[in-house]
Amino acid sequence: MKHFDIAIIGLGPAGATLARLLDGKFFRVAAIDKKGADSSFQKPCGGLLAPDAQKELAKFNLTLPKDILVDPQIFSVKTIDLKNRITKHYQRMYLNIDRSKFDSWLISLIPKNVKIFKNSICQYMLKTQRGFKIVFDENGHKQEITADYVVGADGADSFVRRMFFPKFNIRKYTAVQQWFKDEHQKPFYSCILDPENTDCYSWALSKDGHFIFGGAYPVSNSREKFERQKEKLSELGFKFPEPVKTEACMILRPNSFTEFCLGGGNVFLIGEAAGFISPSSLEGISSAFKTAKILGDIFNKHKENKHRAYASASRGLRFKLAAKLIFKCPFIYDSAFRKAVMNSGIKTIRTEE
């Protein structure tokens, strides 16, 4: 059994960034990640890097390798309001990326002093007098380590959050996504709003010869709602041949300022595991970077009350995300507001068919 100062569970953008930022001179760090040696990413994600996430990469003085970018790079989003029968185009500065390669790149930046356990799934954790005992399966073999601190960076269905904060509730959805061979004449990116099937949104995107369609749906009957939406879009000219693959997972969508779980008792949660995801766009990579940077600074500066410092330093981000429920979500998800905004033509662009 090996002892570490900090154990990070999950090496998505939040966990990989924290592992990179922690000072190896002072901390023995372990990272447990379920991805294998190829770091393959298998969950519903359109794979678009939003401007907020690009800004955080710039703050880290990181440049994106070109092999992470995929074809095509699309500069507008076709927003389709199925209820009001309105379609408008809006300029967007997203980068179309290979999400699996993006995560692999972030992991490659982690210094060698961090002990990474790949292809590993946590079985259970125990609070001990010395800290925490963590038992996990690594490539079919049982492993045990101990740590003074545990950081949950393991996404919406966080094992760490379920283990230590089982009563904490954050609004949940099921994301369903399918990949198809792209049979459309022109590549495009669409945002679909369809209150009949979800009070959130769906997306459609061309990527490296494939066409991706996915959406976030209330947990009950999510797959049926997904299929009903495909039928509606087929009538508008969307082409859905036999799917190449189907992906599904839980996602969080905070519904108030109180729906963030930061942790407690030497357990910390960062990124989506804590609920840090935009309730309007479901973008979470920028918040993953931000919360990892906040917590990394707290550890590196050896703050005495780390939980209080984390709550204080993340307050602005929590207010920013919660404010979107008041100032942004109604104009996207309320049918009457959305109709007025789209018909106004504000920030729309005309495209040649």
Side-chain angles (χ1 to χ4, degrees):
M1 185 181 294
K2 298 178 180 180
H3 182 76
F4 296 88
D5 298 301
I6 304 167
I8 302 170
I9 314 303
L11 285 179
T17 300
L18 179 62
R20 176 174 61 85
L21 295 177
L22 288 170
D23 193 336
K25 295 178 182 178
F26 297 101
F27 303 111
R28 292 165 296 173
V29 181
I32 299 171
D33 191 50
K34 66 181 180 181
K35 295 187 289 295
D38 61 352
S39 297
S40 58
F41 181 89
Q42 297 179 352
K43 62 179 277 190
C45 175
L48 293 176
L49 197 64
D52 282 351
Q54 297 172 38
K55 183 177 180 180
E56 294 307 310
L57 286 175
K59 289 180 180 179
F60 290 135
N61 197 24
L62 292 174
T63 55
L64 203 64
K66 65 179 182 180
D67 67 330
I68 291 174
L69 300 176
V70 300
D71 290 329
Q73 294 300 318
I74 303 169
F75 304 113
S76 70
V77 55
K78 179 163 71 171
T79 302
I80 302 173
D81 182 340
L82 288 175
K83 180 175 182 179
N84 293 314
R85 299 177 181 274
I86 304 172
T87 299
K88 297 288 184 180
H89 290 82
Y90 297 87
Q91 185 179 11
R92 288 293 182 269
M93 300 301 180
Y94 298 125
L95 293 178
N96 198 359
I97 63 171
D98 183 314
R99 181 59 198 275
S100 181
K101 289 183 179 180
F102 180 71
D103 278 21
S104 297
W105 169 64
L106 291 174
I107 292 172
S108 75
L109 301 177
I110 298 173
K112 299 299 182 184
N113 60 280
V114 176
K115 174 61 177 175
I116 299 177
F117 297 94
K118 297 182 178 181
N119 198 27
S120 298
I121 299 176
C122 287
Q123 303 295 331
Y124 64 91
M125 298 182 187
L126 295 175
K127 177 76 170 165
T128 67
Q129 287 185 337
R130 190 175 180 184
F132 298 90
K133 176 181 176 181
I134 305 167
V135 180
F136 57 97
D137 182 290
E138 182 190 28
N139 290 309
H141 301 284
K142 181 181 178 182
Q143 299 279 10
E144 295 182 6
I145 63 171
T146 58
D148 296 326
Y149 298 92
V150 171
V151 179
D154 46 346
D157 194 25
S158 169
F159 175 81
V160 178
R161 192 183 68 243
R162 287 186 282 114
M163 280 291 298
F164 294 104
F165 314 102
K167 294 183 180 179
F168 199 94
N169 188 42
I170 306 175
R171 183 170 54 161
K172 300 175 179 67
Y173 287 73
T174 299
V176 184
Q177 178 174 276
Q178 286 183 330
W179 293 63
F180 309 88
K181 182 179 178 182
D182 197 352
E183 297 182 352
H184 300 90
Q185 288 187 346
K186 290 184 178 181
F188 65 97
Y189 166 48
S190 276
C191 169
I192 299 104
L193 298 153
D194 177 20
E196 182 181 325
N197 288 302
T198 178
D199 60 347
C200 199
Y201 83 103
S202 303
W203 55 88
L205 175 68
S206 299
K207 187 183 292 284
D208 263 358
H210 290 89
F211 178 67
I212 301 171
F213 174 68
Y217 305 90
V219 175
S220 177
N221 300 318
S222 56
R223 184 58 187 268
E224 289 83 351
K225 294 166 185 172
F226 172 78
E227 295 295 340
R228 284 203 300 268
Q229 210 166 51
K230 282 170 60 181
E231 291 175 7
K232 283 187 174 185
L233 293 171
S234 293
E235 297 174 2
L236 297 179
F238 283 59
K239 299 183 184 300
F240 299 106
E242 283 297 310
V244 175
K245 61 179 176 179
T246 301
E247 302 160 323
C249 74
M250 176 195 298
I251 59 172
L252 304 182
R253 191 185 180 203
N255 198 34
S256 72
F257 180 77
T258 61
E259 285 198 1
F260 297 94
C261 182
L262 304 182
N266 290 345
V267 178
F268 297 86
L269 297 172
I270 58 175
E272 194 177 356
F276 285 101
I277 186 168
S278 169
S280 55
S281 66
L282 303 183
E283 192 276 325
I285 294 178
S286 63
S287 292
F289 289 149
K290 289 175 182 177
T291 52
K293 176 67 164 60
I294 290 170
L295 190 58
D297 284 346
I298 289 168
F299 273 102
N300 290 338
K301 293 176 181 177
H302 303 281
K303 295 286 182 80
E304 241 179 79
N305 193 325
K306 292 177 175 56
H307 284 290
R308 181 181 297 173
Y310 184 41
S312 175
S314 66
R315 185 174 291 114
L317 178 57
R318 283 179 283 144
F319 270 119
K320 178 182 177 180
L321 294 176
K324 291 185 178 185
L325 292 164
I326 302 171
F327 299 108
K328 194 170 182 180
C329 283
F331 294 96
I332 299 175
Y333 297 108
D334 180 276
S335 181
F337 276 127
R338 183 171 65 244
K339 182 178 180 179
V341 170
M342 294 182 73
N343 281 333
S344 73
I346 296 173
K347 293 190 175 182
T348 60
I349 58 173
R350 292 186 178 182
T351 62
E352 295 182 8
E353 296 298 331

